[in-house]
Amino acid sequence: MRIIAGEWRGRRLKTPKGRGVRPTTDRIREAWMSALGGDLDGLRVLDLFAGSGALGLEALSRGARDVVFVEKSEAALRVLRANVDLLGAQGRSRVVRADAHRFAERAPPEDFDVALADPPYGEGNAARLLDLFHRRPFARELWVEHRSDEPLPALPGLRHRPYGDTTLTTVESRGVP
């Protein structure tokens, strides 16, 4: 796995090992960043279910101001911290060991410009996160990667970008009252 564009273009990242690991492919990450506009200058980004940190590090490479990485697996956190160190991104990132849903529930409303989430497939995480965001947006915009056939709640404003078996679903905040 590598950084696709920006400051660290071409730099290789470490990946967690194990059967439960499913890193976002370079192709999907490129599609994701292109859909975001490719230029993330000055944005505050939240990377939920961060794993290796590839999504958030790609965002930093493309100009994001800072990224908060949220991951609960100790093995994934070791790899994530190694990747942050490898790229020298310590000053622009914060790594948090926490459950992604609990972190999002406690984040101040619209605390982030963009939240990126690549949760484990087949556990209902995408639907749960979208529902949480609908009730209490923790970013101005949420992007979730999920299996294309995964059932999602019928919420207003969801936009879907299918890429074969994978879909990126996004929704914008309706604003905080």
Side-chain angles (χ1 to χ4, degrees), residues 68-72 77 80-81 94-98 103:
V68 173
F69 297 95
V70 179
E71 175 57 56
K72 70 178 183 179
L77 283 165
L80 170 56
R81 288 182 181 113
R94 182 167 60 107
V95 176
V96 178
R97 182 177 188 186
F103 183 91

Side-chain angles (χ1 to χ4, degrees), residues 43-150:
L43 296 184
R44 185 141 198 263
V45 177
L46 174 62
D47 185 351
L48 296 168
F49 302 95
S52 69
L55 283 171
L57 292 168
E58 186 75 43
L60 280 174
S61 183
R62 292 173 184 244
R65 183 180 88 201
D66 57 54
V67 175
V68 173
F69 297 95
V70 179
E71 175 57 56
K72 70 178 183 179
S73 161
E74 189 56 46
L77 283 165
R78 280 192 296 276
V79 172
L80 170 56
R81 288 182 181 113
N83 285 332
V84 167
D85 290 346
L86 178 72
L87 298 176
Q90 302 91 332
R92 295 170 45 205
S93 62
R94 182 167 60 107
V95 176
V96 178
R97 182 177 188 186
D99 175 83
H101 298 291
R102 284 194 203 114
F103 183 91
E105 285 170 353
R106 294 180 179 136
E110 294 189 356
D111 198 34
F112 298 90
D113 296 304
V114 178
L116 309 173
D118 180 12
Y121 284 7
E123 297 177 13
N125 287 306
R128 185 174 165 203
L129 199 56
L130 288 163
D131 186 55
L132 170 63
F133 186 82
H134 178 72
R135 287 183 283 113
R136 193 179 165 285
F138 44 86
R140 289 191 336 217
E141 190 172 20
L142 170 65
W143 289 74
V144 181
E145 178 182 333
H146 56 89
R147 210 172 44 222
S148 294
D149 62 357
E150 186 171 343

